[in-house]
Amino acid sequence: MRVSKDLSSSVNSLRGRNSAVCLAALAAVLALAACGDPARPVGHVGHISGFAGMVAADEPRAAMLGRDVLSAGGTAADAATAIYFALAVTYPSTASLGGGGTCIVHDSGKKKTEVLDFPAIASAMSGPQPSAVPANPRGFYALHAKYGRLRWESLLVEPERLARSGVTVSRALANDLSRGLPVIGRDPAARGVFMRPDGSVLREGDLMLQPQLAGVISTLRHHTGNFYVGPQARELVKAVQAAGGTLSLDDLRDIRPTWRDAISVKVDNETAWFSPPPSTGSTMAAQLVAALWPRWSGADAAERPHLLAETSARAFGERARWMRPTGWSDESPDALVAEARIAAMMAGYAADRHQPVGDVAAPPTDSQSGTGFVTLDINGMAVACSVTSHGLFGNGRMAPGTGMMLSGVPGLNGPPATAVMVSTNTHNGAVRFIGAASGGGTAASALAQSFLAATKDNKPLSESLALPRLVHAGKPDAVFAETGAITLDPAPLQARGHQVSATPMPSRVEAIYCPQGPKNSEGCDMATDPRGFGLATVAGKKE
């Protein structure tokens, strides 16, 4: 049975390094669901006996909270909401409250897939440090309002506690802090949060306190609308402007998340679904899958890197035609993956030689900063989300008194670095693959390659995510092939006339794959990208 959001208790779980810390529970508890444990009411970890779902995210603490929410009887949307707000605390380099993003939701029961877009658009104001309008809080409120089960305020209790009481810096955040020192080191408010007294950045294991951010999350938890209208909104506008950012009350009042149809691509007896523009990574991934799926099985191991490179370059050529600088398009999303469009994109492809793409005017300017996460619940609902602040630590400014990093501006800082997808059985609606990728211009190719490896080649999911990656952006006329701990052999590419440049690949993919559908949970798998420091975990025990 469905649990009322008005009556369910808050999520309670064990937390902390070595000690158990319980969240404060809300008083009312509804009658138990059929699959629930009578000894553990709805909203308490362990309420779901047996398999409760899966999560994968770029930061471990956030993933663990999502797992607890599923175990407590929450939906995939509840888990995604809790994961995001935890990331805003534990991974603010990419998941700031000031940013925006996109989520794709598949409801297996209703056989329905739709997209929630909440991009962080530029403010109507101008200023010395242009910043976007914060869209993430309203976006995840909308996701929860439509697909959540547990009470909204219960999902934000733990993120608020982590900000107020402190959270240890994870390896994921420590890596970003070391890279972001030139950015955050210029801002007094950011230095107060992310730097030690000796002027060095916080390191893995250090305690990070964010009491001001906790106050903002408390406002969102109790009176979400006050973040966008009223006295709190006025204070937020003053704080953003004091940091040199751009924001007005009209900006906050007018920004709205939008439910939209997903882009669909037929893949044999299944359908792959993607977010439309302004999610440029998702749209490019849709074109890549549409072009690669019928050709992949016929290509041998030596041709596949070439096929990927040629298709990637052509997709970037296509992107130059349909995409505005902000990521939006004037064309119909479905038209971008129409059979004739994809056939024209791949016209003249030769398996034995490289053909330069001549209609890309400039290299892509995509910011690599972003983060993605995926969730699957006991009822087969799947959610994949990707959020971005248009730059590592956004535009490098923190609004004083809020603990919130400001987001950069789309267009000026490249298009939205978001890429999400799900695939489903066309006949029974069961979800098969759930994926979210980050890494700017490399995200689309990484997501498509991981999807093909898992679903077309039947490779284990962890192996699929660990395959060496490449991207060809059209201009410059070169393949950027992965090197480092994971290395791509350049020889097959060079033999076909490609210029190859070895580089570490910034893309990260988080994924869940259920080849027989989520009802056969034993066959489901989840994985986090080995290039990052995230966590993939199961709630309960697979049956």
Side-chain angles (χ1 to χ4, degrees):
M1 64 180 287
R2 182 172 177 82
V3 181
S4 167
K5 287 184 281 190
D6 294 329
L7 297 177
S8 62
S9 70
S10 64
V11 178
N12 286 258
S13 62
L14 299 180
R15 299 218 167 49
R17 281 184 179 175
N18 302 308
S19 60
V21 180
C22 287
L23 299 178
L26 299 176
V29 176
L30 194 69
L32 301 178
C35 59
D37 182 348
R40 296 179 184 273
V42 175
H44 290 253
V45 172
H47 167 70
I48 300 295
S49 55
F51 177 72
M54 294 176 166
V55 304
D58 284 333
E59 198 282 328
R61 175 96 47 173
M64 288 189 288
L65 179 57
R67 176 197 63 192
D68 288 349
V69 168
L70 292 176
S71 176
T75 66
D78 287 322
T81 299
I83 287 171
Y84 166 69
F85 281 100
L87 287 169
V89 177
T90 64
Y91 207 36
S93 51
T94 62
S96 167
L97 296 177
T102 187
C103 294
I104 189 166
V105 182
H106 177 72
D107 187 329
S108 293
K110 296 180 179 178
K111 300 182 182 179
K112 181 180 182 180
T113 307
E114 59 182 335
V115 170
L116 179 63
D117 273 335
F118 44 100
I121 61 175
S123 168
M125 297 181 63
S126 59
Q129 293 289 332
S131 56
V133 185
N136 281 329
R138 250 187 188 159
F140 283 95
Y141 188 86
L143 174 68
H144 173 266
K146 189 165 188 177
Y147 287 105
R149 174 181 294 158
L150 302 181
R151 292 181 65 165
W152 163 264
E153 56 267 36
S154 74
L155 301 174
L156 274 65
V157 169
E158 179 66 359
E160 180 186 343
R161 188 193 71 80
L162 291 173
R164 193 178 306 281
S165 300
V167 60
T168 54
V169 173
S170 66
R171 186 167 300 177
L173 179 58
N175 181 63
D176 283 358
L177 285 167
S178 64
R179 295 189 297 119
L181 177 58
V183 177
I184 58 179
R186 297 193 299 262
D187 184 76
R191 288 199 301 269
V193 172
F194 301 124
M195 298 183 73
R196 293 172 160 188
D198 64 3
S200 62
V201 293
L202 295 175
R203 299 171 188 169
E204 182 181 358
D206 284 351
L207 185 68
M208 180 172 64
L209 296 165
Q210 302 171 87
Q212 295 171 337
L213 182 62
V216 174
I217 295 176
S218 179
T219 293
L220 290 167
R221 187 162 71 88
H222 294 101
H223 304 287
T224 307
N226 287 357
F227 184 89
Y228 289 96
V229 295
Q232 285 87 353
R234 287 193 290 272
E235 292 302 315
L236 176 60
V237 168
K238 291 178 183 178
V240 171
Q241 293 179 0
T246 49
L247 188 67
S248 70
L249 286 172
D250 289 344
D251 290 331
L252 286 172
R253 180 197 63 209
D254 294 341
I255 194 164
R256 294 285 190 277
T258 305
W259 288 102
R260 307 174 64 197
D261 293 334
I263 298 176
S264 63
V265 176
K266 286 290 293 179
V267 287
D268 295 339
N269 294 325
E270 300 185 358
T271 304
W273 305 89
F274 304 83
S275 287
S279 180
T280 55
S282 298
T283 306
M284 284 190 67
Q287 291 187 318
L288 290 170
V289 169
L292 290 168
W293 188 267
R295 296 170 172 83
W296 194 251
S297 294
D300 60 25
E303 183 192 347
R304 283 184 173 182
H306 167 70
L307 175 59
L308 277 168
E310 294 291 281
T311 308
S312 174
R314 290 160 186 250
F316 271 100
E318 271 290 302
R319 192 180 94 159
R321 285 187 283 273
W322 63 257
M323 189 191 79
R324 287 187 261 154
T326 56
W328 292 91
S329 176
D330 296 322
E331 298 190 48
S332 161
D334 288 337
L336 299 177
V337 293
E339 186 175 343
R341 182 73 167 259
I342 299 301
M345 185 179 94
M346 296 302 293
Y349 167 75
D352 61 346
R353 66 187 183 279
H354 167 53
Q355 296 175 324
V357 174
D359 48 5
V360 181
T365 59
D366 306 46
S367 167
Q368 296 176 1
S369 177
T371 188
F373 47 95
V374 293
T375 63
L376 172 70
D377 68 26
I378 189 175
N379 295 314
M381 179 185 293
V383 178
C385 297
S386 181
V387 296
T388 180
S389 298
H390 295 284
L392 188 65
F393 293 97
N395 72 357
R397 298 293 185 271
M398 178 181 284
T402 70
M404 185 181 79
M405 296 301 298
L406 305 184
S407 172
V409 175
L412 181 65
N413 298 90
T418 53
V420 294
M421 69 170 292
V422 298
S423 72
T424 63
N425 184 288
T426 304
H427 303 292
N428 63 22
V431 69
R432 293 289 190 266
F433 183 90
I434 317 163
S438 58
T442 66
S445 179
L447 184 57
Q449 187 176 348
S450 299
F451 173 68
L452 288 168
T455 62
K456 197 77 162 171
D457 298 338
N458 298 313
K459 293 183 181 295
L461 191 58
S462 58
E463 183 181 337
S464 299
L465 269 58
L467 290 173
R469 294 172 185 158
L470 61 81
V471 64
H472 193 312
K475 188 172 184 178
D477 185 15
V479 178
F480 292 91
E482 187 166 16
T483 187
I486 302 173
T487 300
L488 180 73
D489 179 9
L493 292 163
Q494 292 167 337
R496 288 167 169 79
H498 288 278
Q499 179 180 335
V500 180
S501 177
T503 181
M505 200 61 64
S507 54
R508 296 190 305 272
V509 178
E510 305 296 328
I512 296 171
Y513 182 42
C514 297
Q516 281 87 45
K519 288 187 178 180
N520 184 356
S521 61
E522 183 62 33
C524 290
D525 198 7
M526 68 277 167
T528 187
D529 201 299
R531 296 159 188 81
F533 307 101
L535 177 68
T537 182
V538 61
K541 184 183 292 185
K542 290 194 286 185
E543 299 171 344

